[in-house]
Amino acid sequence: MEGTTARRGGESFVEQLRRPEYTGENRCIPCTVTNLGIAVVLSAGAFLLSSWLAAGVALVSVTAIYLRGYLVPGTPELTKRYFPDWLLSWFDRGPVPFDAESFAVEGLLLEAGAVVPGEADVELDATFATEWYGEMERVHDEPSQRAALAELADLDVDEIRLDARPGRFVAWYDGEWLGQWESRAAFVADMAAAPVLATRLEDWESMPVAYRSELLAGLRLFLDRCPTCDGDVTFGTDVVESCCRSYDVVAANCSGCDARLFELPFDESMAATPV
């Protein structure tokens, strides 16, 4: 994007070194711990030559890890190969199931009339579905998508940048990481659902953005057509590669464009639960 290029040219040297895709909310804790350990070893080795050299090595190493996420290239492969899975899962920052006790997603969707009781479980309300898919047609290009996100989060639309990457769709605000979705299609579904839910829930405006996001993500479970290509949505299991480990998920994908619309970590109890 031209605006992004211009802003990039005006950034300071430190800002140009920064790699937000590997830091902040995107930072991998196991990789950071590994790199800090390497930094300690390097600093200890340098201390044998000079205390000043050791201090310099430590400062440069910590600064690099802080700004770029890694000190040594290929760290994810090292942690994936040599760290036990139980340790990686303890650090894991993958998708987390909704906490139904503190925030009743299904209850609020029922209250909004977005879903209604069905024969076996709740299902998408036909009237809500018509309004939702109608909004998806409105959020069809990047300007309208940026405007929808600005309205949802109460932000300046001119400072929002959207970035499609393999396996994720990222939103940035004023150069800082704002949030990410499984795909552009998942993002469009959320942005389209927000104004429809806003007219049906009295406390929508006072609800924290994080809670709104959980409601919108929960609603994606009921999609039967892709928001961007209108393909059929199918559910199944998949193996997801995070920065330094693999884990099983239950996922919803578009059979047409293969966009990931929703995923949750797979629990063994799910295998015994009829879908």
Side-chain angles (χ1 to χ4, degrees):
M1 295 175 60
E2 294 181 0
T4 303
T5 302
R7 184 168 57 210
R8 182 72 177 177
E11 289 180 347
S12 67
F13 177 70
V14 172
E15 289 173 329
Q16 292 181 15
L17 286 177
R18 191 184 301 276
R19 297 291 298 274
E21 62 268 35
Y22 299 127
T23 57
E25 295 288 341
N26 294 325
R27 183 179 295 278
C28 173
I29 303 302
C31 292
T32 299
V33 171
T34 300
N35 278 270
L36 287 174
I38 294 172
V40 170
V41 172
L42 292 176
S43 300
F47 186 79
L48 297 176
L49 300 175
S50 165
S51 60
W52 288 103
L53 177 61
V57 170
L59 178 61
V60 170
S61 298
V62 172
T63 301
I65 295 169
Y66 174 75
L67 292 176
R68 302 183 65 81
Y70 300 125
L71 176 63
V72 179
T75 302
E77 291 303 318
L78 293 175
T79 55
K80 184 181 294 184
R81 176 174 298 182
Y82 297 111
F83 277 33
D85 190 66
W86 65 264
L87 179 59
L88 292 175
S89 63
W90 190 77
F91 283 113
D92 187 50
R93 300 182 56 182
V96 178
F98 295 135
D99 183 356
E101 292 183 0
S102 62
F103 187 67
V105 173
E106 184 177 303
L108 281 173
L109 292 179
L110 283 166
E111 178 185 331
V115 297
V116 294
E119 294 183 1
D121 204 342
V122 294
E123 58 188 32
L124 195 64
D125 176 71
T127 301
F128 183 91
T130 299
E131 295 181 35
W132 187 13
Y133 279 99
E135 284 292 325
M136 290 179 197
E137 296 180 4
R138 183 181 66 83
V139 191
H140 67 283
D141 57 11
E142 184 167 314
S144 60
Q145 291 162 8
R146 289 169 54 234
L149 179 57
E151 182 178 353
L152 172 64
D154 192 22
L155 299 173
D156 181 358
V157 67
D158 294 329
E159 297 295 334
I160 293 176
R161 178 169 63 89
L162 303 177
D163 185 10
R165 303 186 178 197
R168 58 180 175 158
F169 185 76
V170 186
W172 307 88
Y173 185 71
D174 193 24
E176 297 294 329
W177 184 93
L178 178 61
Q180 70 181 43
W181 290 256
E182 291 87 344
S183 63
R184 183 184 292 273
F187 173 81
V188 168
D190 285 4
M191 296 305 103
V196 184
L197 282 176
T199 63
R200 293 166 174 250
L201 288 174
E202 293 183 358
D203 56 350
W204 176 263
E205 293 299 327
S206 61
M207 188 180 297
V209 173
Y211 278 29
R212 295 185 195 178
S213 297
E214 289 197 16
L215 275 179
L216 297 171
L219 195 55
R220 273 188 262 132
L221 277 169
F222 301 94
L223 283 170
D224 59 0
R225 291 184 286 119
C226 178
T228 54
C229 80
D230 208 38
D232 293 333
V233 175
T234 59
F235 281 83
T237 58
D238 197 3
V239 177
V240 172
E241 295 282 343
S242 66
C243 179
C244 48
R245 72 182 297 258
S246 303
Y247 54 91
D248 296 326
V249 298
V250 175
N253 296 298
C254 172
S255 59
C257 65
D258 201 35
R260 175 64 53 88
L261 295 166
F262 193 91
E263 68 179 40
L264 278 175
F266 178 79
D267 188 281
E268 292 296 333
S269 62
M270 294 180 178
T273 303
V275 178

